[in-house]
Amino acid sequence: MAETFPIDLKKFKKLSLDPSKPKLSDAEKADLLANIQLLRDAIVLFTATGAARGVSGHTGGAYDTVPEVCILLALFNFSEKFLPVVFDEAGHRVATQYILSALDGALPAEHLFHYREANSKLPGHPELGLTPGVKFSSGRLGHMWPLVNGVSLANRGKTVFCLGSDGSQQEGNDAEAARLAVAQGLNVKLLIDDNDVTIAGHPSEYLKGYDVTKTLEGHGLKVVTVQGENIDALWEAVASVVNYNGPAAVICKRVMAPGIPDIEGSSHGHDVIPVKSAVKYLLSRGYPDFSELYAGMKAGPQPYLYIGSTKEVGANRVVFGEAVNLVLDGLSKEEAAKKVMVIDSDLEGSTGLKVIHQKHPEVFVPSGIMERGNFSAAAGFGFEADKFGVFSTFSAFLEMVISEITMARLNNCNVLSHFSHSGGINSLFADNGLSDVHSFLYFPADPAQMVAIVRHVFFQRGIRFVFSTRSKVPWILKENGKRFFEDDYQFVPGKDEVIAEGKAGYVVSFGEMLYRSWDAVLRCRQEGLDVGLINKPSLNVVDEQTIMKIGQSPFVLVVESFNQKTGLGSKFGTWLLERQLTPKYGYMGTTKEGSGGLWEQIPHQNLDPQSIITKIKQLSQ
């Protein structure tokens, strides 16, 4: 690891720009261009460490918006009437906030080399109070502008800026924010990177008719559209909106990652730059070959060898799509198109829908970053008894569609929702109906169970939710070494599954925590503590037979990765008491913000097998 950051950020020139002068002097232009290039080089250098460590990241968005950021810093230096915070509604551009923290001296520049590394306090989105120098939390994509409106209302005498993007502007929140900003004449200025690239592709192709300029003009904002890489035109546009009294936006047209040959203009630029591409780019810029630097940043290996599961792992989030394909394979193309609709929210490669798009394009609808509308579209397709909508996005966005879930339930719609990248949030909020209606929440433990669940429930009526994680999971093994959810396994909705009987007490788990719990249970059994394990793939349904069995044992321990405050464990104790069952009871779940990294999240939350074993032994005393 380099002891010093090899790009000297002290070369960044403190520039002051007067917006009453829309033309840059030669000296101002030279300094501004030098600052832009310096920060762009630095962003490439340190974000590539995410690729080196295998923790991912994002390069292109932060790289793109450097011209706008440098102009904002120059405005902050010019006058106190500008609120000195570079708000950004695209949290994945967090590299911007980290480079600003380094420029401010709040963060040592060399610490940027720990980008997204576990316990580095440099997570994938800005988090207020965690990273020194970071001034806000971005939240979910497209959620910042409404909050910035409030900041503006609290600072009527100042101009407030917010970076945006053509991706984040697809969110419905921004339409509401635009109307409020116009109605109240807020001095909010948006600088929007319109690079026609999102995760799944190009909005101009998958969302025809979408135009950021026309949209914001329709809401009543003053809008200036320019080529973002033309620094003279960009400054003139920014000066124009700053001098306008009221909400305004500069739309910066550019290709993604301009000047980085390997990723320029492609959706790959949205993600972290590959190490080889970063080295190539930096060499072309006159820097040394940093290959050895990156070579020393390998991902930290998982030090724990699990028992009770395979060494082979599979991605349940991808297997979901493969399982849907198995169902669709049994239909003709015409029948599938008539009966099934699968809608994407710009995440098809991440949530398993890409394989459906490739194999069954007749059912696939590409769409934008519009989770609320897309969920309702899927539900509306399933309004008729013999039609079925399929929706998928990240679990972090589940809370956004709660109202739409209620709407679908009120209309008896058939919709199958896959929420991937699960863990830590309020996923059980999906079960928000009254007790006289049913929705079903399923969390498969491994790829084989994912296939079994999807195939069984696909054409069942009503609202069904299937969860998966970002990380791959192993296959669960029986004590005889055979895979538990293969061969003659049959999934039964609402039925808890006995992985192992036990006299000392039972652990109840599901999803990616099952293999970790199984490891802990097996190690306890090896020590003579006869603990049993229950898999609960149907999260919100009480299996009366199983709960009576385990409720009469000495203890019950629920282990999950959901929010401990709102997860299964918060309900299971009540279910026991309602049946006059009073074993010793405990539950373990996510209790704090994440730590970055990959597998490191589990011990960070005290959900590793050793922590589970400790809790088992406490309850068994």
Side-chain angles (χ1 to χ4, degrees):
M1 179 69 67
E3 294 183 2
T4 59
F5 196 69
I7 295 178
D8 186 3
L9 296 182
K10 292 180 180 178
K11 291 183 178 180
F12 189 85
K13 299 178 181 180
K14 189 171 183 178
L15 183 62
S16 177
L17 291 177
D18 180 354
S20 69
K21 301 175 181 177
K23 301 295 183 183
L24 293 169
S25 69
D26 290 343
E28 288 172 334
K29 182 176 179 180
D31 287 348
L32 189 54
L33 289 173
N35 284 347
I36 291 168
Q37 194 62 63
L38 180 75
L39 296 196
R40 279 183 162 174
D41 293 348
I43 286 170
V44 169
L45 177 66
F46 80 81
T47 57
T49 65
R53 290 193 180 90
V55 294
S56 190
H58 298 88
T59 300
Y63 177 97
D64 276 11
T65 53
V66 167
E68 295 94 295
V69 170
C70 289
I71 285 174
L72 291 184
L73 294 180
L75 286 173
F76 298 162
N77 290 333
F78 175 75
S79 173
E80 292 185 356
K81 74 176 184 179
F82 303 116
L83 192 78
V85 181
V86 183
F87 289 111
D88 193 339
E89 62 175 352
H92 57 268
R93 293 193 296 223
V94 68
T96 301
Q97 306 307 318
Y98 295 157
I99 200 76
L100 291 177
S101 294
L103 287 176
D104 287 344
L107 197 69
E110 56 271 18
H111 191 65
L112 297 172
F113 278 139
H114 298 278
Y115 174 65
R116 291 180 66 112
E117 186 180 5
N119 304 306
S120 67
K121 297 188 177 181
L122 299 178
H125 290 70
E127 296 184 19
L128 181 65
L130 177 69
T131 309
V134 167
K135 299 176 180 178
F136 64 94
S137 294
S138 65
R140 300 178 179 113
L141 189 67
H143 282 54
M144 200 74 230
W145 185 3
L147 188 141
V148 166
N149 279 350
V151 173
S152 179
L153 285 165
N155 294 270
R156 283 286 195 175
K158 294 183 181 290
T159 298
V160 185
F161 294 93
C162 184
L163 299 180
S165 67
D166 53 338
S168 60
Q169 285 289 312
Q170 294 174 24
E171 288 285 8
N173 282 34
D174 279 348
E176 297 180 13
R179 289 192 287 270
L180 177 64
V182 171
Q184 293 296 319
L186 300 181
N187 225 11
V188 171
K189 315 299 179 183
L190 304 178
L191 305 181
I192 297 176
D193 179 30
D194 190 358
N195 57 28
D196 195 33
V197 167
T198 56
I199 294 175
H202 306 283
S204 61
E205 297 174 4
Y206 68 71
L207 206 60
K208 293 184 184 299
Y210 171 59
D211 186 300
V212 180
T213 298
K214 290 180 179 178
T215 297
L216 294 179
E217 285 178 339
H219 284 303
L221 277 80
K222 173 183 172 65
V223 181
V224 181
T225 302
V226 296
Q227 293 300 316
E229 295 303 293
N230 182 330
I231 197 64
D232 292 298
L234 179 59
W235 166 244
E236 185 175 353
V238 172
S240 173
V241 301
V242 165
N243 290 320
Y244 172 77
N245 186 27
V250 176
I251 312 300
C252 306
K253 295 280 189 178
R254 58 166 61 89
V255 297
M256 167 66 86
I260 308 179
D262 289 357
I263 60 175
E264 181 177 295
S266 80
S267 56
H268 297 295
H270 175 87
D271 298 317
V272 68
I273 186 171
V275 167
K276 288 184 178 179
S277 299
V279 169
K280 177 181 174 182
Y281 165 82
L282 291 167
L283 281 171
S284 73
R285 291 279 309 122
Y287 294 99
D289 187 336
F290 291 119
S291 297
E292 289 189 14
L293 176 70
Y294 293 123
M297 299 179 180
K298 298 298 183 184
Q302 161 65 270
Y304 194 86
L305 182 62
Y306 287 91
I307 60 175
S309 56
T310 62
K311 292 183 179 179
E312 181 186 1
V313 292
N316 264 8
R317 59 190 174 102
V318 176
V319 174
F320 172 83
E322 295 170 349
V324 171
N325 277 346
L326 290 174
V327 175
L328 296 176
D329 288 346
L331 307 176
S332 68
K333 298 290 185 183
E334 295 75 19
E335 185 182 9
K338 183 178 180 180
K339 195 170 186 176
V340 177
M341 187 271 283
V342 179
I343 191 166
D344 177 46
S345 297
D346 188 51
L347 290 173
E348 63 176 273
S350 299
T351 66
L353 301 191
K354 186 174 182 178
V355 293
I356 304 173
H357 191 178
Q358 293 170 335
K359 192 172 185 181
H360 288 281
E362 71 277 5
V363 307
F364 191 83
V365 176
S367 188
I369 308 164
M370 306 177 299
E371 293 82 8
R372 301 172 186 85
N374 291 342
F375 179 90
S376 289
F381 185 90
F383 182 68
E384 299 178 30
D386 60 347
K387 294 183 183 293
F388 299 83
V390 179
F391 169 82
S392 186
T393 189
F394 291 159
S395 288
F397 304 147
L398 185 150
E399 293 173 351
M400 295 167 58
V401 298
I402 296 299
S403 181
E404 286 72 20
I405 290 171
T406 296
M407 186 69 172
R409 185 179 289 109
L410 292 172
N411 284 284
N412 300 318
C413 295
N414 302 320
V415 56
L416 175 65
S417 295
H418 173 218
F419 289 100
S420 71
H421 295 59
S422 187
I425 63 152
N426 303 308
S427 296
L428 290 188
F429 283 12
D431 185 28
N432 65 345
L434 298 174
S435 297
D436 60 348
V437 295
H438 292 290
S439 55
F440 300 92
L441 280 62
Y442 303 114
F443 203 143
D446 70 13
Q449 188 167 50
M450 173 65 86
V451 172
I453 288 176
V454 171
R455 296 187 75 169
H456 188 94
V457 309
F458 191 88
F459 286 125
Q460 289 184 349
R461 294 220 61 203
I463 306 177
R464 291 135 296 135
F465 302 91
V466 178
F467 297 94
S468 67
T469 53
R470 179 185 188 273
S471 296
K472 296 178 179 179
V473 293
W475 279 258
I476 302 296
L477 298 177
K478 299 177 182 178
E479 290 188 89
N480 63 10
K482 292 186 177 180
R483 294 185 177 185
F484 197 96
F485 301 112
E486 294 185 350
D487 299 329
D488 58 350
Y489 170 75
Q490 293 290 322
F491 173 71
V492 179
K495 181 66 177 174
D496 296 347
E497 298 163 344
V498 179
I499 305 299
E501 300 276 5
K503 296 178 181 178
Y506 280 91
V507 173
V508 178
S509 193
F510 57 86
E512 90 287 11
M513 290 310 299
L514 187 72
Y515 79 89
R516 296 180 170 104
S517 297
W518 190 208
D519 176 276
V521 165
L522 286 171
R523 293 184 192 276
C524 286
R525 291 164 74 93
Q526 289 173 355
E527 296 178 11
L529 186 57
D530 188 17
V531 183
L533 178 65
I534 303 296
N535 179 37
K536 189 168 183 57
S538 301
L539 302 180
N540 63 325
V541 179
V542 178
D543 180 344
E544 296 293 349
Q545 182 179 358
T546 301
I547 201 169
M548 291 303 295
K549 174 207 290 277
I550 66 176
Q552 296 177 62
S553 73
F555 75 83
V556 173
L557 172 63
V558 174
V559 179
E560 60 185 316
S561 61
F562 283 169
N563 183 350
Q564 190 181 47
K565 291 173 65 176
T566 60
L568 176 65
S570 69
K571 297 173 176 288
F572 206 91
T574 300
W575 293 342
L576 289 166
L577 288 174
E578 286 174 340
R579 291 157 180 81
Q580 289 77 50
L581 300 171
T582 56
K584 289 184 179 179
Y585 182 67
Y587 59 103
M588 305 171 68
T590 295
T591 58
K592 52 191 174 182
E593 293 289 340
S595 65
L598 297 171
W599 59 266
E600 294 93 344
Q601 294 285 355
I602 294 300
H604 174 71
Q605 299 291 346
N606 296 314
L607 292 173
D608 57 288
Q610 290 305 313
S611 296
I612 299 171
I613 289 170
T614 298
K615 189 67 174 179
I616 289 172
K617 291 182 176 179
Q618 288 174 354
L619 290 171
S620 65
Q621 292 178 353

